[in-house]
Amino acid sequence: MAIKIKSEQEIALLRESCVLAAEVLARAGEIVKPGITTDDINTFVHNMTIKAGAIPSPLNYHGFPKSVCTSVNDVVCHGIPGNQVLKEGDIINIDVTCLLNGYHGDTSRTFAVGKITPNVKRLMDVTERAMDDGIAVATAGAYFGDIGSAIQELADEFGYGIVREFCGHGIGRVFHEEPNVLHYRSRDRGERIREGMVFTIEPMLNEGKPGVFVEKDGWTVRTRDGSLSAQYEHTIAITRNGPEVLTRLD
C-alpha cells in the first residue's frame, strides 16, 4: 500500500488532534505519583479527551479495553490500565492517541514515579534523545532507514537494546497506516521521505537485551530479561522546511 501524502488542510486537522493529544499527555503526567493506579490515569485521559470533543483512539481498537496504554517498568508497550498501584521509583510510559475531527494524534512519554536512580534517569534521557535524533534526520529526500540508523547509533553508544517487534507508523484518518518506521539499522534503507508524509517516531529502548514477549492478554509486551524499558513518541509532518513535530507543545 502506498504511503499517503497529506494536504495542507489535512495536516492542519492533524495538528489539532496532535496538540490535544500532547495536552492530555502533559496533564496526565502531572497526576503521576506513588499511590495512584494505572486505571486512575485511564479515567483522567478518557474524561479529558471526551470533554474536548474527541474520542480516545485506543478504546476498543482491535479489542483493546481501555482509553490509554500505561506501561510500567519492564512493560515495553500496550500495557492495559487496571488496579496496579504505582510505587516510588517506578517508571511509566503513557501513550495517548486522540481522534478529533476525523484525524488521529499520537504521542507518548515515560514518566518517573517519585525519585528514580541515576541509571533509570539515563535510560529515559537517552531514549528521548534517540527519538529526537530520529526526528532530526527525517527530512524530505532522506530515507526511512536513516531514522533507524540515527536511533541505533545512540542506543549502541549506551549499550541499550532496541525493540524490533514494534515500530513507528503513518497516521491520519487511520490510526495505523503505511509506512512502518523502523527504529534500528537495516540493510534496506527503504523508501525516500517526501513532503506531506505524516508518521510517528517512537523508539523503545531496553536497559538490557532487546527481546520481548506478549502476555496471554494479547496486548501487554514485556522485556524477556525483565529489564526496564522506556519509550518516547512524537507525530511529525514532513514539510519543505524539515520535520514539524505536531505533538510538541510550545
Side-chain angles (χ1 to χ4, degrees):
M1 185 180 295
I3 301 172
K4 295 179 180 177
I5 302 298
K6 307 298 192 299
S7 67
E8 290 186 8
Q9 182 181 13
E10 287 180 299
I11 291 176
L13 290 168
L14 276 159
R15 193 177 289 115
E16 292 180 9
S17 61
C18 285
V19 167
L20 175 60
E23 290 173 343
V24 172
L25 179 61
R27 291 284 305 281
E30 291 173 0
I31 73 169
V32 170
K33 64 180 180 180
I36 71 165
T37 67
T38 51
D39 211 33
D40 291 333
I41 297 170
N42 180 77
T43 298
F44 179 90
V45 168
H46 181 90
N47 290 344
M48 184 173 174
T49 304
I50 296 298
K51 188 175 181 180
I55 297 171
S57 302
L59 185 60
N60 299 319
Y61 180 73
H62 294 304
F64 190 80
K66 296 287 185 171
S67 296
V68 68
C69 296
T70 52
S71 303
V72 181
N73 294 338
D74 64 324
V75 176
V76 175
C77 60
H78 302 161
I80 301 173
N83 59 8
Q84 181 176 7
V85 178
L86 298 183
K87 305 185 302 298
E88 184 88 15
D90 286 343
I91 58 173
I92 179 171
N93 176 272
I94 302 175
D95 192 342
V96 173
T97 312
C98 299
L99 176 62
L100 179 67
N101 297 323
Y103 288 85
H104 297 271
D106 191 4
T107 185
S108 85
R109 66 179 299 118
T110 300
F111 297 92
V113 183
K115 294 181 179 179
I116 55 174
T117 67
N119 284 347
V120 177
K121 180 66 164 56
R122 184 179 70 169
L123 172 66
M124 292 170 58
D125 289 346
V126 171
T127 306
E128 186 170 22
R129 282 174 54 196
M131 175 191 64
D132 289 338
D133 286 356
I135 292 171
V137 299
T139 57
Y143 291 90
F144 277 98
D146 298 338
I147 297 171
S149 293
I151 291 169
Q152 181 152 15
E153 184 172 347
L154 185 65
D156 286 352
E157 181 182 336
F158 289 87
Y160 294 141
I162 303 173
V163 174
R164 292 180 170 231
E165 289 82 352
F166 301 90
C167 58
H169 54 89
I171 190 167
R173 286 190 173 276
V174 179
F175 191 169
H176 295 87
E177 61 184 37
E178 294 293 326
N180 290 329
V181 182
L182 303 183
H183 300 125
Y184 56 91
R185 188 177 296 110
S186 172
R187 289 183 179 178
D188 181 5
R189 294 182 72 189
E191 293 191 44
R192 284 191 182 272
I193 298 169
R194 294 165 56 199
E195 186 179 333
M197 290 180 175
V198 179
F199 51 87
T200 71
I201 296 178
E202 46 182 301
M204 306 162 208
L205 300 191
N206 298 344
E207 197 169 33
K209 295 181 179 180
V212 301
F213 71 96
V214 182
E215 288 194 347
K216 292 180 180 179
D217 61 24
W219 287 103
T220 307
V221 180
R222 291 186 184 272
T223 58
R224 284 196 176 279
D225 59 9
S227 63
L228 295 179
S229 186
Q231 180 189 18
Y232 290 79
E233 174 184 16
H234 275 313
T235 298
I236 68 170
I238 305 304
T239 76
R240 63 176 59 90
N241 299 316
E244 177 188 350
V245 180
L246 303 179
T247 44
R248 179 171 286 152
L249 296 177
D250 293 333

